[in-house]
Amino acid sequence: MVTSRLAKNFTLATVLYGRVPYFLVLAGYFLGRKITWRKAVDRAFWLLVPFVIWNFIVYIAFYSHGISWEVVRDIPRFLGIGCVFSADIHICNLQGSTPAINVTWFLRDIIVLSLLSPILVRFKGVVMGALAVALSFSHFNFMPYASVMLAPHTCFYYLLGTCLCNFRIDDAYHIFNKRFTPVFVIVLAAALVNCFVQGWRGRPSMQVTLIGALFGAMLIAYCGVLIEQYLPKLSKRLAPCGPACFLVFVLHFPILSVIAPMLPDWIAGTWLVWLVPIPTCASIIAVFLLMKRYTPWLMPYLGHMKVPKKQAG
C-alpha cells in the first residue's frame, strides 16, 4: 500500500530535486568523520577560493560593465552573503544575497556549515531537535533557498550527513542492496513512467517535500551503487570524472543561459532537457581533465581540487 502510494505520487522531479540534498548529505558525512577545527577551516577555505573566483568572473561577465568601484558595492553578489535563516533577516542589511551563479548557493552554505561542523557534530542531537521544530512549521515543503543562507532545509540535509558519519560506506551498500531494492526499483520505474505521461512541461502530481527530496537523493546514491556493482568497467571509467562535479555545478548554468537563446525553436522545451545539458556537462568534464593534466597549478583556484606538490611543480 505504501509502495503503491509512493509510486503514484512521485515523479522524476523527486530525483531531480534530490541532487542538491545528495551533495549536502555527502558533504556532512565526509567532513563529520574525525572532524577538527583545522580540518573544518581547511575544507571551508579550499572551497571558498574557487567559489569566489567563479562567481566574480560570472559577475563581471554578466552583471557588470567591467571592473569598477560598483563591484566593491556589490561584493555580496558574488559572495552570496546576506539573508540568514529567512528572507527577513539580513547581515548588516546586505541585500544581494544570491550568488552571481545562482546554482552555487548550496556551495556557499557548505562553506559556512563546514566552519560550524565541530560544533554541529558535538551538539547534533540538540540541533536536529531544533530543526525538527522549525521544519514542522513549514509543513516539510521543499523549496530552493538560493537567497537565504543556512535555511532549515539545507541545514537538515547537511546535519543528517554528520549524523551518518559513524556508519561505514560498506554498511550503506548492504542496506541498499538487501533491504530497499524492491521499493527503489518500483518507485523509480513509476517515476519515469509518470514523468513521460505528464510531459516535461507538466507539474509533478504532488509538491516535492523535504522527505521527497531526500528520497530522490537516496535514489541517486542507489543508482551509483548499481553502476559500481553491475557495470564495474563503466564505474572505473567514470571515477576520474568524479572530482569534476564542482566545475560542472558551477559552469553548467552560465553556459546554458548563454546557449538557450541561440537555440532554434524545435530544440526548446522538451528537447532542451535532453540535448543541451549532456554535451554541456561532457564538455566541462573534458576541460577539467585537460586542466588537471596540463595546468594542474590552476586546480585549487578553479577546480576545487588539491594537487600533490610534485604534480603541481
Side-chain angles (χ1 to χ4, degrees), residues 170-186:
D170 291 341
D171 296 332
Y173 273 67
H174 176 77
I175 292 173
F176 278 125
N177 288 328
K178 302 298 183 182
R179 303 292 179 86
F180 294 110
T181 296
V183 176
F184 279 125
V185 171
I186 293 173

Side-chain angles (χ1 to χ4, degrees), residues 104-227:
T104 61
W105 65 268
F106 76 98
L107 297 176
R108 166 205 64 196
D109 284 24
I110 288 178
I111 293 170
V112 179
L113 289 169
S114 296
L115 291 173
L116 298 175
S117 288
I119 299 176
L120 294 176
V121 171
R122 185 172 182 179
F123 300 101
K124 55 191 173 187
V126 176
V127 179
M128 284 294 281
L131 284 177
V133 174
L135 291 169
S136 65
F137 287 103
S138 66
H139 306 289
F140 293 93
N141 290 330
F142 174 80
M143 294 177 61
Y145 284 92
S147 61
V148 181
M149 289 197 315
L150 303 181
H153 298 75
T154 304
C155 296
F156 170 83
Y157 295 123
Y158 184 89
L159 197 62
L160 178 61
T162 65
C163 291
L164 297 174
C165 68
N166 293 327
F167 292 92
R168 300 181 307 164
I169 295 181
D170 291 341
D171 296 332
Y173 273 67
H174 176 77
I175 292 173
F176 278 125
N177 288 328
K178 302 298 183 182
R179 303 292 179 86
F180 294 110
T181 296
V183 176
F184 279 125
V185 171
I186 293 173
V187 174
L188 183 58
L192 290 170
V193 172
N194 197 15
C195 179
F196 283 111
V197 169
Q198 291 188 11
W200 279 100
R201 295 182 181 181
R203 297 178 63 86
S205 57
M206 69 174 290
Q207 186 175 8
V208 178
T209 63
L210 179 90
I211 303 302
L214 181 60
F215 193 88
M218 294 173 69
L219 282 174
I220 294 173
Y222 183 63
C223 288
V225 171
L226 290 180
I227 292 175

Side-chain angles (χ1 to χ4, degrees), residues 12-306:
L12 197 58
T14 302
V15 182
L16 296 177
Y17 276 111
R19 63 193 187 276
V20 171
Y22 174 72
F23 280 97
L24 287 170
V25 173
L26 282 184
Y29 176 83
F30 286 109
L31 190 61
R33 300 172 69 88
K34 299 180 181 179
I35 185 64
T36 63
W37 282 108
R38 182 176 180 178
K39 179 182 176 182
V41 172
D42 179 72
R43 182 67 60 87
F45 180 77
W46 175 38
L47 181 58
L48 176 66
V49 171
F51 169 82
V52 171
I53 290 176
W54 280 116
N55 274 281
F56 180 78
I57 291 173
V58 171
Y59 175 86
I60 296 298
F62 290 95
Y63 302 103
S64 176
H65 299 292
I67 299 178
S68 64
W69 288 108
E70 293 184 357
V71 174
V72 178
R73 183 193 64 187
D74 291 334
I75 284 178
R77 180 65 170 162
F78 58 85
L79 286 178
I81 61 176
C83 301
V84 182
F85 304 125
S86 73
D88 299 324
I89 304 177
H90 295 270
I91 297 178
C92 301
N93 295 320
L94 296 175
Q95 300 297 320
S97 56
T98 302
I101 306 176
N102 188 279
V103 294
T104 61
W105 65 268
F106 76 98
L107 297 176
R108 166 205 64 196
D109 284 24
I110 288 178
I111 293 170
V112 179
L113 289 169
S114 296
L115 291 173
L116 298 175
S117 288
I119 299 176
L120 294 176
V121 171
R122 185 172 182 179
F123 300 101
K124 55 191 173 187
V126 176
V127 179
M128 284 294 281
L131 284 177
V133 174
L135 291 169
S136 65
F137 287 103
S138 66
H139 306 289
F140 293 93
N141 290 330
F142 174 80
M143 294 177 61
Y145 284 92
S147 61
V148 181
M149 289 197 315
L150 303 181
H153 298 75
T154 304
C155 296
F156 170 83
Y157 295 123
Y158 184 89
L159 197 62
L160 178 61
T162 65
C163 291
L164 297 174
C165 68
N166 293 327
F167 292 92
R168 300 181 307 164
I169 295 181
D170 291 341
D171 296 332
Y173 273 67
H174 176 77
I175 292 173
F176 278 125
N177 288 328
K178 302 298 183 182
R179 303 292 179 86
F180 294 110
T181 296
V183 176
F184 279 125
V185 171
I186 293 173
V187 174
L188 183 58
L192 290 170
V193 172
N194 197 15
C195 179
F196 283 111
V197 169
Q198 291 188 11
W200 279 100
R201 295 182 181 181
R203 297 178 63 86
S205 57
M206 69 174 290
Q207 186 175 8
V208 178
T209 63
L210 179 90
I211 303 302
L214 181 60
F215 193 88
M218 294 173 69
L219 282 174
I220 294 173
Y222 183 63
C223 288
V225 171
L226 290 180
I227 292 175
E228 186 171 353
Q229 184 173 0
Y230 295 105
L231 299 171
K233 292 183 178 180
L234 177 61
S235 177
K236 188 175 180 180
R237 289 180 177 272
L238 292 176
C241 301
C245 64
F246 171 85
L247 213 59
V248 171
F249 264 107
V250 169
L251 294 183
H252 80 280
F253 187 77
I255 293 175
L256 292 177
S257 65
V258 173
I259 294 177
M262 304 178 185
L263 298 175
D265 294 337
W266 66 273
I267 297 182
T270 301
W271 294 103
L272 181 63
V273 177
W274 294 102
L275 296 181
V276 180
I278 294 177
T280 298
C281 293
S283 301
I284 295 173
I285 292 173
V287 170
F288 172 86
L289 295 176
L290 289 173
M291 186 168 60
K292 179 182 176 182
R293 180 172 182 178
Y294 295 106
T295 58
W297 58 273
L298 282 175
M299 298 305 295
Y301 306 102
L302 299 180
H304 178 49
M305 181 177 180
K306 292 184 177 180

